[in-house]
Structures are given as structure tokens and as C-alpha cells.
Amino acid sequence: PLKTDGTESTSDERRRRIGVLTSGGDSPGMNAAVRAIVRVAISRGCEAYAIFEGYEGLVQGGNMIRKFGWGDVRGYLSIGGTLIGTARCNTFRTREGRLKAACNLVKNGIDALIICGGDGSLTGADILRSEWSGLLEELIREGRLTQEEAAPFTHLVIVGMVGSIDNDMSSTDLTIGAVTSLHRICEAVDNISSTASSHSRAFVIEVMGRYCGWLALMAAVSTSADFVFIPERPPSADDWESEMCEILKRHRKLGKRKTIVIVAEGAIDKNLNPIKASYIKELLINRVGLDTRVTCLGHTQRGGRPCVYDRNLATRQGVEAVEAVLRSTADTPSPMIGIRENKITCQPLVEAVKLTQQAAIAIGKKDFRRAMELRDPEFEEDYNAYVATTIIDDNSKVLPEHQRLRIGIIHIGAPAGGMNPATHAAARIALNCGHIPLAIQNGFPGLLDDDVYELSWIGVDGWTTKGGSELGTNRTEPNIDLGMIAYKFQKHRIEALLMIGGFEAFSSLVTLTAARDKYPAFCIPMVCLPATISNNVPGTDFSLGCDTSLNAIVDSCDAIKQSASASRRRVFVVETQGGKCGYLAVLAGLAVGATSVYIPEKGVSLKTLQSDINHLTRRFGEDKKRTSSGRLILRNECVSNTYTTSLIADIFETEGRGLFDCRTCVLGHIQQGSSPSPLDRIRAVRLAVKCINFLEKHALSSLADDASSTRPKVFNNQKESAAVIGILGAHVDFSPVVDLVQETDMNNRVSKKAWWLKLKGLVELLSKWGYTEDHL
Ligand code: ATP
């Protein structure tokens, strides 16, 4: 068999029997993990076994351990929780329990286990592995296994995947399920916000997280809550009650009609006393005079239907988990599959678990600095960004007069989820530093019309949750009248520029930078923050808006798939946007389990269509019991002028010869989504804060240090001062725009580096295509 990266597998890789179990609290995305593990295992020549009810099934054996075929995981992607069940199993904590588990593994011929669960589950797995040879010896001694039975099982391969809504595992940025849980929390807080505003009320919202404040903090960032309490960072003031009340009063004085306080269930003060929602409620009533209610979100946070991020994270990690099984030897430590920004990682499981447990210990010892360090690297940054963009500051961060800048903020291109949250964060942090954020309305034409105004702290309130573009945006680029644009920069004394938008924002930055020689007005720091659903801007793996869009597409595709479930013999050709970039089609295809994706990067031909018709005919033919719920083909809007969506559907309908019929669906502007997804909101805040720091750094480096001298003009024509901010692999970086031009296909308006292109093969693999198909 071929590997998932398309290379030949080596002969020393054993055909393993891989068991998969889900354990601990359920989390959305666990099913996607099981699906990927089962299907990749089968396509790599292994056998897959589902172990039901977590370790309970392993201990009990019998019917709890079942061989899974390709069709057993059909429909798994869109279902929340775990379909193979989970349980807390105390017997497995005992040696007798693990003896039974080992015996059942050997009897079923399973020599590798992939566990998806929290730190407890992974600890249990590693204990099983470390005791393995002793357990087998004991089983032989007691006559429960024969020498011959045990002989092939010299060691047990363990691979961990982290499924947990809490995102409490060290050494990985995100755990499977956390983002879906955050979706549910943000939906709830957004809903509560409208009633809070209507009645001018305060709400204290309790969210899950006993030792880990990730959900609470990210919910606060995503909804721009007024205050947040998390276990890792108790309020520093002795009299935190007064401090909080003062901040909330200040927010009200500025004109806020609602007050939202988010409390993690494990929130504590610096002496480890619990901070409870009911206590905060009393403070808000008695000391701030607010009509206050408490909402405990409870089990709704377990998530339900998984969001796109969790489906794709679980799928990508499931692939890596099988590969890790096949790579492993008796000497390799058990790995845990994780993710760093956009890179799937594989690290020693024991160390990750140890680090995770240290966080709770650090909190217990009041070593809160250490507790913060033990979270993912962005956690502290996000906390600081939250404080800087949400809590109005008491002037402690204001820069000296001569260092304060007039920062233009402009939206360019089509609207995308995340544009408003980014503008909100940029304006607020700028204001907290004493800068003047200038809204340039309606893009460059707006600038030419002097449609420019100063943003205020309260003026951007509520933008975190708004989709579209509050500033107004259009596709016009500055080359409509460069000279006049330069004049307007001077007129409005713009000393730094934040451009939020898609490919037009990128090419506008290219144009302005190239014109620096001619127009000194452009010799100011300028940064492009990519925001477009197409995700076609060079210099970043993700642009703002693409996560929102993917969720909108996948919501629609799930509904479309369901509509086909009645006939069970239907193919839908769904047309997605994205211009000449196939990102949306591929990533949505991965999340809905599409049969094929047609994208401009690969093209579509008669041969492709014929090959897909053969595949569909075979798949529908195999499905005698009619268990499939319809199949999807995702076609990017620009893949071909000839093979239009309707033509493809007509060809499929005709060639299906009654075995299946075919329908089309053009998703159109639904794909922009409504409210930005939590991930887009978080990314927007994180990146916008970095952008303002970038602009400040490159502006101030060009100013004289001497505060008494007359304020010189900002002048910076270094190439580093005109850049695109991006998430690149495991890092967030600024790339000078002039360097990025080389890696850009300016005609087709796409980056030549498309990290996601390899996932197209995975979409096809998971819908039972082999890698040998010639159209790949
Ligand atoms: P969550 O984050 O949702 O709590 P978890 O995996 O940490 O998930 P636990 O209840 O701690 O949840 O563990 C799940 C199961 O893993 C336990 O019921 C038990 O069967 C097994 N397990 C946990 N810790 C150990 C251990 N130290 N030794 C053996 N088995 C363990």
C-alpha cells in the first residue's frame, strides 16, 4: 500500500491490527478521528478494531471489541460526541483490570492502540504499555494465555490523540472538541448579549474549565466580554472586587448598555479561594447597581455537531496517528499527536501529560506565572491582548506625546468574517497606547472623498461579533489615482496604515510600496492583515474569514447531504467560491466527506469526470443496503469555463444510468457567513494587536528619540516596514511584501505556496479513492 503522503511504504512496516477507543469526557470531533483512523488504517493494509465504551470495553472484551470496515464509519463526520461510546472505568485503574485488557488485546490480535481522550486516558494507556511484558508474563503464568498466543505481541504500540473540550493539554495548541465547544459558548453569549443590551442588564456566565481557563478566556476574547476570571491568572489586586467594579462602571460611563462577565468554573482568587458566579452577581447588584443574572451554560458546552476545525483537526491527526503506529518500534516512546498553529506534531506522550499535570500543581502552589507558561504559547499573549483591547486602561500604557501615531485603518476587497473584530482590536489597543485610529470608510474611493474619521473606544463596541465590514469595503485599488491618494495620506496625516482585506489589500500594498520612491507619503509603516474567504493571500496559511466561510459551507453541505438521505441514490454537485484558489472546496470537502473536489490548481477534464463516474457507479453499486446518504462533489467556481456545475450534473445524471441521480447547488454569498466564527474572532484579535505593535515599532524606529525636539515626520522606506502578517506553519510572522511578490501568481491572484493542496488527496483517500488514480 501507499502511504498517506503518496510514497511507497517500506516492507518492514507490519500489517497491524489497530484498536481505537475514545475515553474520558466526550468531545466533538472524536467521531471524525475514529473515521479517519479506520479508513486510513484499512487503506494502509491494516485492520481496524473499534473498542466500545472506552477502557470498559477493553476490560470486558467480547462484543465490545469489533472489527470495523469502511462502511462502519459512514456518516461519522457530522455527528457530535462519540458513537463508539466512552466511559470512566475504574477497573482499568487496577492491575487486574489491565490484565484483562491485555488479555483481550492479545485474543483479538490487536498490537496497536490509538486512544482519543484527555490526560487521564493517555496516562492509563501509557501505564498499560509500560506494564505490557509483565502483564503478558502474568497472564501466561496464570494460564490465561499460552506462550504461543502471546509470542507475537512483544510490545504494544500506543498513540495518543487529545480529545477534550477544555483544551487543557500542554504541548498542543488545541485539543479535539475545544473549538466546537467555543462555538456553542459564543452563540450563547451572543444571544445573551442582545437581551442584556435590551434591558441594560449584566450577566455573569459560567463556563466549563476546572483547571484550565482556555474556554473562558477565548470566549471573553471572542465576545469582548467586560471581565473574565480564569484559574491560571487570578486577579492580582487584593481588593479585586473594587478593581472589577471600577472597570465595569467605567465601561458603563462610556455608554455600554450591557455588562458581561465570564467565569471559568475553576476560577480562584490569588489565595486559591473559589470565585463563584453568585458572588460576582452580588457585587454587580450591590456595588455597581446593575440588574444582574447568572447563566450557567452547563452541558450544552459539550458541543454537539462538530465545527469544521474539529472535523479537520481530528481527521488530519487521525492520519498522523496511523502513520505514527506504522513508524513505531519497541524503542520509540509513545507519541501524542498535537498541533502547533498549522502543523500536526508528534511528541512524547508522557512528557506532555506530565507538563499538563504540572499546570494544576502550579495553580495549587500559587505559582501562576508557571501555570500560564504551561499553556500553549499564545495563551498569555491572548490574555494580554484581551486586557488591552477590552478593558479600558487607566492611561498606564499611554506613550509620550511625540510617539503617538495617527494610524489609518482601511478595508479592501470583499467582506470577510473577522474584518470587524480585527478593526475593533486594532482601534482599542491603539487608543490604549495613545494613538489615534483613523477609520478610512469605503476603501480607497472613500479616502479620495475624505471619508475619514477618528474611531473611539465605544464607537467600535460590539464589532467583535459582527460579520461583514462596518467601515465599508470595495475592490478598488490605489492605482486609480496614486498621486491623489498620496496627497490624502498627507492631508489626514496618516503615519501608519493597517489594510485589512483579501488579495486586493495585498496588491494595494504592493502598489503603495513600489510607489515609495515617487511619493514620500507612502514611506510609512504599512501592514496587510489578510481577510478573505478565498484564503488566497500570499504570506499566510489562513486569512481571516475562511474559517467562518468553511463553517457556512459545511452547514449547507450537511443539510444537502441530509436531503439526499431519503433517496440515498443522489449526487450533489455543490459550487463553492474562492476565485482561482481551491482552498474552500478542499477544506470543506474534507469536513463533509466529499467524494471529489474540482479545483483550479488541478483542473477538471473529461478524464476526471469519467473516472469519477466510474467511482460513483462502483460505490453506489457496492452499497446494496442503501446505507449511504448521498454523495457530494465540490466544484470551485473557476475550475473550468467548459465544465460548468450544471453541465457536470447533466453528465453525471445521464451516465449514472438510473443508479443515481444528480442535482446542483450554487452556494453563492451564503459562503460569507453571518457572524464571524470564534476562531476568526480570536485570530483577528491576536493578529490585529501584533499589527499595531508592528506599525508602532517601524514608525518609532524612524523618529528621533529626543522628546523635546519638534516631532519629525515618520519616514521609513525599509522593505521590512511594508509587510503581510501571516500564520506560517507553527509561527506568526511578518513577511516583507516585496519578498512575497516572488511567490505569488499575480495573474491568477493566488499564492504559489498552497500548504493545503496535499489534503485533496486525503479527501479522495477517505472516500475510497486509491492514490494510484491517474487524475490525482
Ligand atoms: P477528561 O479531560 O474529559 O476528564 P480524561 O481522559 O482526563 O478526560 P479521566 O476520567 O481522567 O478522563 O480518565 C478516563 C479513564 O482513563 C478513566 O476512567 C480510567 O479508566 C483511565 N485512567 C485515567 N487515569 C488512569 C491511571 N492513572 N491509570 C489507569 N487508568 C487511568
Side-chain angles (χ1 to χ4, degrees), residues 737-768:
V737 72
V738 290
D739 295 348
L740 288 176
V741 172
Q742 287 135 36
E743 60 180 71
T744 308
D745 175 347
M746 293 301 273
N747 283 337
N748 286 317
R749 301 155 53 85
V750 287
S751 168
K752 290 180 198 161
K753 290 185 184 167
W755 65 269
W756 46 267
L757 209 48
K758 59 180 182 291
L759 297 177
K760 180 178 185 291
L762 190 55
V763 173
E764 281 139 9
L765 174 92
L766 292 170
S767 69
K768 216 175 185 178

Side-chain angles (χ1 to χ4, degrees), residues 23-25 55 87-89 92-93 98 117-121 123-124 127 164:
S23 172
Y55 290 119
R88 313 254 180 209
C89 173
F92 190 74
R93 292 177 185 271
R98 295 193 291 276
D119 61 326
S121 306
T123 307
I127 291 173
S164 164

Side-chain angles (χ1 to χ4, degrees), residues 629-703:
S629 55
R631 291 178 194 278
L632 299 180
I633 304 270
L634 266 51
R635 176 193 176 274
N636 162 286
E637 60 184 355
C638 293
V639 67
S640 161
N641 290 332
T642 311
Y643 300 111
T644 60
T645 301
S646 57
L647 179 64
I648 291 174
D650 287 346
I651 295 174
F652 277 30
E653 172 94 18
T654 309
E655 296 296 320
R657 294 173 209 276
L659 190 55
F660 57 87
D661 60 14
C662 193
R663 298 285 188 276
T664 60
C665 180
V666 179
L667 295 176
H669 286 80
I670 285 174
Q671 294 166 86
Q672 271 174 16
S674 48
S675 186
S677 70
L679 219 50
D680 273 332
R681 299 183 195 184
I682 295 168
R683 282 178 184 153
V685 174
R686 185 182 292 165
L687 297 179
V689 167
K690 283 184 191 284
C691 283
I692 296 298
N693 293 339
F694 169 92
L695 294 174
E696 199 176 279
K697 180 177 130 198
H698 287 279
L700 298 190
S701 67
S702 74
L703 291 179

Side-chain angles (χ1 to χ4, degrees), residues 326-535:
L326 296 175
R327 276 198 307 267
S328 101
T329 64
D331 311 320
T332 37
S334 300
M336 184 195 88
I337 314 298
I339 186 158
R340 261 284 118 90
E341 290 290 358
N342 188 27
K343 207 169 176 332
I344 303 292
T345 56
C346 193
Q347 290 159 74
L349 182 154
V350 181
E351 281 168 33
V353 170
K354 237 187 240 156
L355 277 176
T356 305
Q357 290 162 348
Q358 277 176 23
I361 296 169
I363 293 171
K365 286 186 184 160
K366 303 186 193 174
D367 187 353
F368 301 113
R369 182 195 295 252
R370 178 81 185 127
M372 286 296 272
E373 277 168 14
L374 287 164
R375 298 290 172 223
D376 70 79
E378 277 77 36
F379 194 83
E380 182 148 20
E381 255 178 55
D382 286 336
Y383 181 84
N384 294 335
Y386 166 73
V387 173
T389 58
T390 315
I391 295 171
I392 183 138
D393 209 72
D394 49 5
N395 294 339
S396 63
K397 304 214 176 52
V398 172
L399 293 166
E401 180 83 37
H402 75 292
Q403 293 186 351
R404 298 181 202 163
L405 302 167
R406 290 170 64 82
I407 302 175
I409 305 177
I410 188 168
H411 294 178
I412 306 167
M419 281 181 153
N420 293 325
T423 308
H424 163 274
R428 289 250 172 114
I429 189 158
L431 285 163
N432 270 352
C433 297
H435 303 305
I436 298 172
L438 295 167
I440 301 171
Q441 298 211 88
N442 305 319
F444 286 107
L447 178 64
L448 293 176
D449 289 343
D450 293 316
D451 218 347
V452 178
Y453 70 97
E454 287 184 20
L455 286 164
S456 68
W457 197 90
I458 197 70
V460 293
D461 198 46
W463 286 19
T464 322
T465 60
K466 284 189 176 169
S469 159
E470 287 293 306
L471 295 188
T473 182
N474 59 60
R475 295 182 188 275
T476 311
E477 296 191 21
N479 46 15
I480 44 163
D481 193 346
L482 264 179
M484 189 53 87
I485 300 245
Y487 164 70
K488 297 291 181 182
F489 270 41
Q490 280 165 340
K491 179 175 172 190
H492 295 284
R493 289 184 288 121
I494 293 169
E495 295 166 313
L497 184 66
L498 169 60
M499 308 160 86
I500 305 173
F503 200 85
E504 291 86 357
F506 168 75
S507 59
S508 297
L509 183 56
V510 174
T511 306
L512 294 179
T513 310
R516 276 174 160 182
D517 283 347
K518 200 162 168 201
Y519 302 107
F522 302 143
C523 295
I524 56 171
M526 297 183 282
V527 65
C528 166
L529 170 46
T532 164
I533 67 165
S534 304
N535 200 25

